[in-house]
Coordinates of all heavy atoms in Angstrom, one line a residue:
M9 N 14.2 -16.4 73.5 CA 14.6 -17.2 74.6 C 13.7 -17.0 75.8 O 13.1 -15.9 76.0 CB 16.1 -16.9 75.0 CG 16.7 -17.9 75.9 SD 18.3 -17.4 76.6 CE 17.7 -16.4 78.0
A10 N 13.5 -18.0 76.6 CA 12.7 -17.8 77.9 C 13.4 -18.7 79.0 O 14.3 -19.5 78.7 CB 11.3 -18.3 77.6
Y11 N 12.9 -18.5 80.1 CA 13.3 -19.3 81.2 C 12.5 -20.6 81.3 O 11.3 -20.6 80.8 CB 13.3 -18.5 82.6 CG 14.5 -17.6 82.7 CD1 14.7 -16.6 81.8 CD2 15.4 -17.8 83.8 CE1 15.9 -15.8 82.0 CE2 16.5 -17.0 83.9 CZ 16.7 -16.0 83.0 OH 17.8 -15.2 83.2
V12 N 13.1 -21.6 81.8 CA 12.4 -22.9 81.8 C 12.4 -23.5 83.2 O 13.5 -23.5 83.9 CB 13.2 -23.9 80.8 CG1 12.6 -25.3 80.9 CG2 13.2 -23.3 79.4
I13 N 11.3 -24.1 83.6 CA 11.3 -24.9 84.9 C 11.5 -26.3 84.6 O 10.9 -26.9 83.7 CB 9.9 -24.7 85.6 CG1 9.7 -23.2 85.8 CG2 9.9 -25.4 86.9 CD1 8.4 -22.9 86.5
A14 N 12.4 -26.9 85.3 CA 12.9 -28.3 85.1 C 12.5 -29.3 86.2 O 11.8 -28.9 87.1 CB 14.4 -28.3 84.8
E15 N 13.0 -30.4 86.1 CA 12.6 -31.6 86.9 C 12.6 -31.3 88.4 O 11.7 -31.9 89.1 CB 13.6 -32.8 86.6 CG 13.1 -34.1 87.1 CD 13.4 -34.4 88.5 OE1 14.3 -33.8 89.1 OE2 12.7 -35.3 89.1
P16 N 13.4 -30.5 89.0 CA 13.3 -30.4 90.5 C 12.0 -29.8 91.0 O 11.7 -30.0 92.2 CB 14.5 -29.4 90.8 CG 15.5 -29.7 89.7 CD 14.6 -29.9 88.5
C17 N 11.3 -29.2 90.1 CA 9.9 -28.7 90.5 C 8.9 -29.8 90.7 O 7.9 -29.6 91.5 CB 9.4 -27.7 89.5 SG 7.9 -26.8 90.0
I18 N 9.1 -30.9 90.1 CA 8.1 -32.0 90.2 C 8.0 -32.4 91.7 O 8.9 -32.8 92.3 CB 8.6 -33.2 89.3 CG1 8.5 -32.8 87.9 CG2 7.6 -34.4 89.6 CD1 9.0 -33.9 86.9
G19 N 6.7 -32.3 92.1 CA 6.5 -32.7 93.5 C 6.8 -31.6 94.5 O 6.5 -31.7 95.7
T20 N 7.3 -30.5 94.0 CA 7.7 -29.3 94.9 C 6.6 -28.2 94.8 O 6.0 -27.9 95.8 CB 9.1 -28.8 94.5 OG1 10.0 -29.8 94.6 CG2 9.4 -27.6 95.5
K21 N 6.5 -27.7 93.6 CA 5.5 -26.6 93.3 C 5.4 -25.6 94.4 O 4.4 -25.3 95.0 CB 4.1 -27.3 93.2 CG 4.0 -28.2 92.0 CD 2.5 -28.5 91.6 CE 1.9 -29.4 92.7 NZ 0.5 -29.8 92.2
D22 N 6.6 -25.0 94.7 CA 6.7 -24.1 95.9 C 5.9 -22.8 95.6 O 5.4 -22.2 96.6 CB 8.2 -23.7 96.1 CG 8.4 -22.8 97.2 OD1 8.4 -23.2 98.4 OD2 8.5 -21.6 96.9
T23 N 5.9 -22.3 94.4 CA 5.1 -21.1 94.0 C 5.8 -19.8 94.4 O 5.2 -18.7 94.2 CB 3.7 -21.1 94.4 OG1 3.5 -20.8 95.8 CG2 3.0 -22.3 94.0
A24 N 7.0 -19.8 95.0 CA 7.6 -18.5 95.3 C 7.9 -17.8 94.0 O 7.9 -16.6 93.9 CB 8.9 -18.7 96.0
C25 N 8.2 -18.6 92.9 CA 8.4 -18.0 91.6 C 7.2 -17.2 91.1 O 7.3 -16.2 90.4 CB 8.9 -19.1 90.6 SG 7.6 -20.4 90.4
V26 N 6.0 -17.8 91.4 CA 4.8 -17.1 90.9 C 4.7 -15.7 91.4 O 4.4 -14.8 90.7 CB 3.6 -18.0 91.3 CG1 2.3 -17.2 90.9 CG2 3.6 -19.3 90.6
D27 N 5.0 -15.6 92.7 CA 4.9 -14.3 93.4 C 6.0 -13.3 92.9 O 5.9 -12.1 92.9 CB 5.1 -14.4 94.9 CG 3.9 -15.2 95.5 OD1 2.8 -15.2 94.9 OD2 4.1 -15.9 96.5
A28 N 7.2 -13.9 92.5 CA 8.3 -13.1 92.0 C 8.2 -12.6 90.6 O 8.8 -11.6 90.2 CB 9.6 -13.9 92.2
C29 N 7.4 -13.3 89.8 CA 7.3 -13.0 88.3 C 6.5 -11.7 88.1 O 5.4 -11.6 88.4 CB 6.7 -14.1 87.6 SG 6.6 -13.8 85.8
P30 N 7.2 -10.7 87.4 CA 6.5 -9.4 87.2 C 5.4 -9.4 86.1 O 4.6 -8.5 86.0 CB 7.7 -8.5 86.8 CG 8.7 -9.4 86.2 CD 8.6 -10.7 87.0
V31 N 5.5 -10.5 85.3 CA 4.5 -10.5 84.2 C 3.5 -11.7 84.3 O 2.8 -12.0 83.4 CB 5.2 -10.6 82.8 CG1 6.0 -9.3 82.6 CG2 6.1 -11.8 82.7
D32 N 3.5 -12.3 85.5 CA 2.5 -13.4 85.8 C 2.4 -14.5 84.7 O 1.4 -14.9 84.3 CB 1.1 -12.7 85.9 CG 0.1 -13.6 86.5 OD1 0.5 -14.4 87.3 OD2 -1.1 -13.4 86.3
C33 N 3.6 -15.0 84.3 CA 3.7 -16.0 83.3 C 4.0 -17.4 83.8 O 4.3 -18.3 83.0 CB 4.7 -15.5 82.2 SG 6.4 -15.6 82.6
I34 N 3.9 -17.6 85.1 CA 4.2 -18.9 85.7 C 2.9 -19.5 86.2 O 2.2 -18.9 87.0 CB 5.2 -18.9 86.8 CG1 6.5 -18.2 86.3 CG2 5.5 -20.3 87.3 CD1 7.6 -18.0 87.4
H35 N 2.5 -20.7 85.7 CA 1.3 -21.3 86.0 C 1.4 -22.8 86.1 O 2.4 -23.3 85.6 CB 0.2 -21.0 84.9 CG 0.0 -19.5 84.8 ND1 -1.0 -18.9 85.5 CD2 0.6 -18.5 84.1 CE1 -1.0 -17.6 85.2 NE2 -0.1 -17.3 84.4
P36 N 0.5 -23.6 86.7 CA -0.7 -23.1 87.3 C -0.4 -22.4 88.7 O 0.5 -22.9 89.4 CB -1.6 -24.3 87.5 CG -0.6 -25.4 87.5 CD 0.5 -25.0 86.6
K37 N -1.2 -21.4 89.0 CA -1.1 -20.8 90.3 C -2.0 -21.6 91.3 O -2.8 -22.4 90.9 CB -1.6 -19.3 90.2 CG -0.7 -18.5 89.3 CD -1.4 -17.2 88.8 CE -1.5 -16.1 89.8 NZ -1.9 -14.9 89.2
K38 N -1.8 -21.3 92.6 CA -2.5 -22.1 93.6 C -4.0 -22.0 93.5 O -4.7 -23.0 93.9 CB -2.1 -21.6 95.0 CG -0.7 -22.2 95.5 CD -0.4 -21.8 96.9 CE 0.9 -22.4 97.3 NZ 1.4 -21.8 98.6
D39 N -4.5 -20.9 93.0 CA -5.9 -20.8 92.9 C -6.5 -21.2 91.6 O -7.7 -21.0 91.3 CB -6.3 -19.3 93.2 CG -5.7 -18.3 92.2 OD1 -4.9 -18.7 91.4 OD2 -6.1 -17.1 92.3
E40 N -5.7 -21.8 90.7 CA -6.1 -22.3 89.5 C -6.4 -23.8 89.5 O -5.8 -24.5 90.2 CB -5.1 -22.0 88.4 CG -4.9 -20.5 88.1 CD -3.8 -20.2 87.2 OE1 -2.9 -21.0 86.9 OE2 -3.7 -19.0 86.7
E41 N -7.4 -24.2 88.7 CA -7.9 -25.6 88.8 C -6.8 -26.6 88.5 O -6.7 -27.6 89.2 CB -9.0 -25.7 87.7 CG -9.7 -27.1 87.8 CD -10.8 -27.2 86.8 OE1 -11.3 -26.1 86.3 OE2 -11.2 -28.3 86.4
K42 N -5.9 -26.3 87.6 CA -4.9 -27.3 87.3 C -3.7 -27.4 88.3 O -2.9 -28.3 88.2 CB -4.2 -26.9 85.9 CG -5.2 -27.2 84.7 CD -4.5 -26.9 83.4 CE -5.4 -27.3 82.2 NZ -4.7 -27.0 80.9
F43 N -3.7 -26.6 89.3 CA -2.7 -26.7 90.3 C -2.7 -28.0 91.0 O -1.6 -28.6 91.3 CB -2.8 -25.6 91.4 CG -1.6 -25.6 92.3 CD1 -0.5 -24.9 92.0 CD2 -1.7 -26.2 93.6 CE1 0.6 -24.9 92.9 CE2 -0.6 -26.2 94.5 CZ 0.5 -25.5 94.1
G44 N -3.8 -28.6 91.2 CA -3.9 -29.9 91.9 C -3.5 -31.1 91.0 O -3.0 -32.1 91.4
S45 N -3.8 -30.9 89.7 CA -3.5 -32.1 88.8 C -2.1 -32.0 88.1 O -1.6 -33.1 87.7 CB -4.6 -32.1 87.7 OG -4.6 -30.9 87.0
E46 N -1.5 -30.9 88.0 CA -0.2 -30.8 87.4 C 0.9 -31.1 88.5 O 0.8 -30.7 89.6 CB 0.1 -29.4 86.8 CG -0.8 -29.1 85.6 CD -0.6 -30.0 84.4 OE1 0.6 -30.5 84.3 OE2 -1.5 -30.1 83.6
E47 N 1.9 -31.8 88.1 CA 3.0 -32.2 89.0 C 4.0 -31.1 89.2 O 4.9 -31.2 90.1 CB 3.6 -33.5 88.6 CG 4.3 -33.5 87.3 CD 4.9 -34.8 86.9 OE1 4.6 -35.8 87.6 OE2 5.5 -34.9 85.8
M48 N 4.0 -30.1 88.4 CA 5.0 -29.0 88.5 C 4.4 -27.8 87.9 O 3.3 -27.8 87.3 CB 6.3 -29.4 87.7 CG 6.1 -29.7 86.2 SD 7.6 -30.0 85.3 CE 8.3 -28.3 85.2
L49 N 5.2 -26.7 88.0 CA 4.8 -25.4 87.4 C 5.5 -25.2 86.1 O 6.5 -25.8 85.8 CB 5.1 -24.3 88.4 CG 4.6 -24.4 89.8 CD1 5.0 -23.2 90.6 CD2 3.1 -24.6 89.8
F50 N 5.0 -24.3 85.3 CA 5.6 -24.0 83.9 C 5.7 -22.5 83.7 O 4.9 -21.7 84.2 CB 4.7 -24.7 82.9 CG 4.4 -26.1 83.1 CD1 3.3 -26.6 83.7 CD2 5.4 -27.1 82.7 CE1 3.0 -27.9 83.9 CE2 5.2 -28.4 82.9 CZ 4.0 -28.9 83.5
I51 N 6.6 -22.2 82.8 CA 6.8 -20.8 82.4 C 6.3 -20.6 80.9 O 6.7 -21.4 80.0 CB 8.2 -20.3 82.5 CG1 8.7 -20.3 84.0 CG2 8.5 -19.0 81.8 CD1 10.1 -20.0 84.2
D52 N 5.5 -19.6 80.7 CA 5.0 -19.4 79.3 C 6.1 -18.7 78.5 O 6.6 -17.6 78.8 CB 3.8 -18.4 79.4 CG 3.2 -18.1 78.0 OD1 3.9 -18.2 77.0 OD2 2.0 -17.8 78.0
P53 N 6.6 -19.4 77.5 CA 7.8 -19.0 76.8 C 7.6 -17.7 75.9 O 8.5 -17.0 75.5 CB 8.2 -20.1 75.9 CG 6.9 -20.9 75.7 CD 6.2 -20.7 77.0
V54 N 6.3 -17.4 75.7 CA 6.0 -16.2 74.9 C 5.9 -15.0 75.8 O 6.4 -13.9 75.5 CB 4.7 -16.4 74.1 CG1 4.2 -15.1 73.4 CG2 4.8 -17.6 73.1
E55 N 5.3 -15.2 77.0 CA 5.1 -14.1 77.9 C 6.4 -13.7 78.8 O 6.5 -12.6 79.2 CB 4.0 -14.4 78.8 CG 2.6 -14.5 78.1 CD 2.2 -13.2 77.4 OE1 2.5 -12.1 77.9 OE2 1.6 -13.3 76.3
C56 N 7.2 -14.7 79.0 CA 8.5 -14.5 79.8 C 9.3 -13.4 79.2 O 9.6 -13.4 78.0 CB 9.2 -15.8 79.9 SG 10.8 -15.7 80.8
I57 N 9.8 -12.5 80.1 CA 10.6 -11.4 79.6 C 12.1 -11.6 80.0 O 12.9 -10.6 79.9 CB 10.1 -10.0 80.1 CG1 10.1 -10.0 81.7 CG2 8.7 -9.7 79.6 CD1 9.8 -8.6 82.3
D58 N 12.4 -12.8 80.4 CA 13.8 -13.1 80.7 C 14.5 -12.2 81.8 O 15.6 -11.9 81.7 CB 14.7 -13.0 79.4 CG 14.2 -13.9 78.3 OD1 13.5 -14.9 78.6 OD2 14.5 -13.7 77.1
C59 N 13.7 -11.9 82.8 CA 14.2 -11.0 83.8 C 15.0 -11.7 84.8 O 15.9 -11.1 85.5 CB 13.1 -10.2 84.5 SG 12.1 -11.2 85.6
G60 N 14.8 -13.0 85.0 CA 15.5 -13.8 86.0 C 15.1 -13.7 87.4 O 15.7 -14.3 88.3
A61 N 14.0 -13.0 87.7 CA 13.6 -12.8 89.1 C 13.1 -14.0 89.8 O 13.2 -14.2 91.0 CB 12.5 -11.7 89.1
C62 N 12.7 -15.0 89.0 CA 12.2 -16.3 89.6 C 13.3 -17.2 90.0 O 13.1 -18.1 90.9 CB 11.3 -17.0 88.5 SG 12.1 -17.2 86.9
V63 N 14.5 -17.0 89.4 CA 15.6 -18.0 89.7 C 16.0 -18.1 91.1 O 16.0 -19.1 91.7 CB 16.8 -17.7 88.8 CG1 18.0 -18.6 89.1 CG2 16.4 -17.9 87.3
P64 N 16.4 -16.9 91.8 CA 16.9 -17.0 93.1 C 15.9 -17.4 94.2 O 16.2 -17.8 95.3 CB 17.5 -15.6 93.4 CG 16.7 -14.7 92.5 CD 16.4 -15.6 91.2
V65 N 14.6 -17.3 93.9 CA 13.6 -17.6 94.9 C 13.2 -19.0 94.9 O 12.5 -19.5 95.9 CB 12.3 -16.7 94.8 CG1 12.7 -15.2 94.9 CG2 11.6 -17.0 93.5
C66 N 13.6 -19.8 93.9 CA 13.2 -21.2 93.9 C 14.0 -22.0 94.9 O 15.2 -22.1 94.8 CB 13.4 -21.8 92.5 SG 13.0 -23.5 92.4
P67 N 13.3 -22.7 95.8 CA 14.1 -23.4 96.9 C 14.8 -24.7 96.4 O 15.6 -25.2 97.1 CB 13.0 -23.7 97.9 CG 11.7 -23.8 97.1 CD 11.9 -22.8 96.0
V68 N 14.4 -25.1 95.2 CA 15.1 -26.3 94.7 C 15.8 -26.1 93.4 O 16.2 -27.0 92.7 CB 14.0 -27.5 94.5 CG1 13.4 -27.9 95.8 CG2 12.9 -27.0 93.5
S69 N 16.1 -24.8 93.1 CA 16.9 -24.4 91.9 C 16.4 -25.1 90.6 O 17.2 -25.7 89.9 CB 18.4 -24.8 92.1 OG 18.9 -24.1 93.3
A70 N 15.1 -25.0 90.4 CA 14.5 -25.7 89.3 C 14.4 -24.8 88.0 O 14.1 -25.3 86.9 CB 13.1 -26.2 89.6
I71 N 14.8 -23.5 88.1 CA 14.6 -22.6 87.0 C 15.9 -22.2 86.3 O 16.8 -21.8 87.0 CB 13.8 -21.4 87.4 CG1 12.5 -21.8 88.2 CG2 13.4 -20.5 86.2 CD1 11.7 -20.6 88.8
F72 N 15.9 -22.3 85.0 CA 17.1 -22.0 84.3 C 16.8 -21.1 83.1 O 15.8 -21.3 82.4 CB 17.8 -23.3 83.7 CG 18.1 -24.3 84.8 CD1 17.2 -25.2 85.3 CD2 19.4 -24.3 85.3 CE1 17.5 -26.1 86.3 CE2 19.8 -25.2 86.3 CZ 18.8 -26.1 86.8
A73 N 17.8 -20.3 82.7 CA 17.7 -19.6 81.4 C 17.8 -20.7 80.4 O 18.5 -21.7 80.6 CB 18.8 -18.6 81.2
A74 N 17.2 -20.6 79.2 CA 17.2 -21.7 78.2 C 18.6 -22.1 77.9 O 18.9 -23.3 77.7 CB 16.4 -21.2 77.0
D75 N 19.5 -21.2 77.8 CA 20.9 -21.5 77.4 C 21.6 -22.2 78.5 O 22.6 -22.9 78.2 CB 21.6 -20.2 77.1 CG 21.2 -19.6 75.8 OD1 20.5 -20.3 75.0 OD2 21.5 -18.4 75.5
D76 N 21.1 -22.2 79.7 CA 21.8 -22.8 80.8 C 21.2 -24.1 81.3 O 21.6 -24.7 82.2 CB 21.9 -21.8 82.0 CG 22.7 -20.6 81.7 OD1 23.6 -20.6 80.9 OD2 22.4 -19.5 82.3
L77 N 20.1 -24.5 80.6 CA 19.4 -25.7 81.0 C 20.2 -26.9 80.8 O 20.8 -27.2 79.7 CB 18.1 -25.8 80.1 CG 17.1 -26.9 80.5 CD1 16.5 -26.8 81.9 CD2 16.0 -27.0 79.4
P78 N 20.4 -27.7 81.9 CA 21.3 -28.9 81.7 C 20.7 -29.8 80.7 O 19.5 -30.0 80.5 CB 21.1 -29.6 83.1 CG 20.9 -28.4 84.1 CD 20.0 -27.5 83.3
D79 N 21.6 -30.5 79.9 CA 21.2 -31.3 78.8 C 20.2 -32.4 79.2 O 19.3 -32.8 78.5 CB 22.4 -32.0 78.1 CG 23.2 -31.0 77.3 OD1 22.7 -29.9 77.0 OD2 24.3 -31.3 77.0
K80 N 20.4 -32.9 80.4 CA 19.5 -34.0 80.9 C 18.0 -33.6 81.1 O 17.1 -34.4 81.2 CB 20.0 -34.6 82.3 CG 20.0 -33.6 83.4 CD 20.6 -34.2 84.7 CE 20.7 -33.1 85.8 NZ 21.4 -33.7 87.0
W81 N 17.8 -32.3 81.1 CA 16.5 -31.8 81.3 C 16.0 -31.0 80.0 O 15.1 -30.2 80.1 CB 16.4 -30.8 82.5 CG 16.6 -31.6 83.8 CD1 16.2 -32.9 84.0 CD2 17.1 -31.1 85.0 NE1 16.5 -33.2 85.3 CE2 17.1 -32.1 86.0 CE3 17.7 -29.9 85.4 CZ2 17.6 -32.0 87.3 CZ3 18.2 -29.7 86.7 CH2 18.1 -30.8 87.6
A82 N 16.7 -31.3 78.9 CA 16.4 -30.5 77.7 C 14.9 -30.6 77.3 O 14.3 -29.7 76.7 CB 17.2 -31.1 76.5
D83 N 14.3 -31.7 77.5 CA 12.9 -31.9 77.1 C 11.9 -31.0 77.9 O 10.7 -30.8 77.5 CB 12.4 -33.4 77.2 CG 12.6 -34.0 78.6 OD1 13.5 -33.5 79.3 OD2 11.9 -34.9 79.0
F84 N 12.4 -30.4 79.0 CA 11.5 -29.5 79.8 C 11.2 -28.2 79.0 O 10.2 -27.5 79.3 CB 12.1 -29.2 81.2 CG 11.8 -30.4 82.1 CD1 12.7 -31.5 82.1 CD2 10.7 -30.4 82.9 CE1 12.4 -32.6 83.0 CE2 10.4 -31.5 83.8 CZ 11.3 -32.6 83.8
T85 N 12.0 -27.8 78.1 CA 11.7 -26.6 77.3 C 10.4 -26.8 76.6 O 9.5 -26.0 76.6 CB 12.8 -26.4 76.2 OG1 14.0 -26.2 76.9 CG2 12.5 -25.2 75.4
Q86 N 10.2 -28.0 76.0 CA 8.9 -28.3 75.3 C 7.8 -28.5 76.3 O 6.7 -28.1 76.1 CB 9.1 -29.5 74.4 CG 7.8 -29.8 73.6 CD 7.9 -31.0 72.7 OE1 8.9 -31.8 72.8 NE2 7.0 -31.2 71.8
K87 N 8.1 -29.2 77.5 CA 7.0 -29.4 78.5 C 6.4 -28.1 78.9 O 5.2 -27.9 79.1 CB 7.6 -30.1 79.7 CG 7.9 -31.6 79.5 CD 8.4 -32.2 80.8 CE 9.1 -33.5 80.6 NZ 8.2 -34.6 80.3
N88 N 7.3 -27.1 79.2 CA 6.8 -25.8 79.6 C 5.9 -25.1 78.5 O 4.8 -24.7 78.8 CB 8.0 -24.8 79.9 CG 8.6 -25.0 81.3 OD1 8.5 -24.2 82.2 ND2 9.2 -26.2 81.5
A89 N 6.4 -25.2 77.3 CA 5.6 -24.6 76.2 C 4.3 -25.3 75.9 O 3.3 -24.6 75.7 CB 6.5 -24.6 74.9
V90 N 4.3 -26.6 76.0 CA 3.1 -27.3 75.7 C 1.9 -27.0 76.7 O 0.8 -26.9 76.3 CB 3.4 -28.9 75.8 CG1 2.1 -29.7 75.8 CG2 4.2 -29.2 74.5
F91 N 2.3 -26.7 78.0 CA 1.3 -26.4 79.0 C 0.5 -25.2 78.5 O -0.7 -25.1 78.8 CB 1.9 -26.1 80.3 CG 0.9 -25.8 81.4 CD1 0.1 -26.7 82.0 CD2 0.7 -24.4 81.7 CE1 -0.8 -26.4 83.0 CE2 -0.2 -24.1 82.7 CZ -1.0 -25.1 83.3
F92 N 1.1 -24.3 77.8 CA 0.4 -23.1 77.4 C -0.1 -23.2 75.9 O -0.5 -22.2 75.3 CB 1.4 -21.9 77.5 CG 1.8 -21.6 78.9 CD1 3.0 -22.1 79.4 CD2 1.0 -20.9 79.8 CE1 3.4 -21.9 80.8 CE2 1.3 -20.7 81.1 CZ 2.5 -21.2 81.6
G93 N 0.1 -24.4 75.3 CA -0.4 -24.5 74.0 C 0.5 -23.8 73.0 O 0.1 -23.5 71.9
R94 N 1.8 -23.6 73.3 CA 2.7 -22.9 72.4 C 3.4 -23.9 71.5 O 3.5 -25.1 71.8 CB 3.8 -22.2 73.3 CG 3.3 -21.3 74.3 CD 2.5 -20.2 73.8 NE 2.2 -19.1 74.8 CZ 1.4 -18.1 74.7 NH1 0.7 -18.0 73.6 NH2 1.2 -17.3 75.6
Ligands
SF4_111 FE1 8.8 -14.4 85.1 FE2 11.1 -13.2 84.8 FE3 11.0 -15.8 85.5 FE4 10.4 -15.1 83.0 S1 12.4 -14.9 84.0 S2 9.3 -16.5 84.4 S3 9.4 -13.1 83.4 S4 10.3 -14.0 86.7

């Protein structure tokens, strides 16, 4: 299981989660080339250690444990994984 970033991140890309993540598994970061072209941020499902540290810092409540992801955003599990080629 991993945490998933969902629809509220689109157009937000706050990046507070990037700073909160202890294993640096949220991308693209501000200094990465894809930050400008991607509409949201993603969590690497392989590297995520399920610590939950990113959840409370998100200003738009876009991050969910996989089990708690609302059904309407179910496709975001794959969207996050695809960004990392998973
Ligand atoms: Fe990073 Fe923890 Fe959030 Fe996973 S749950 S993305 S490891 S801060």
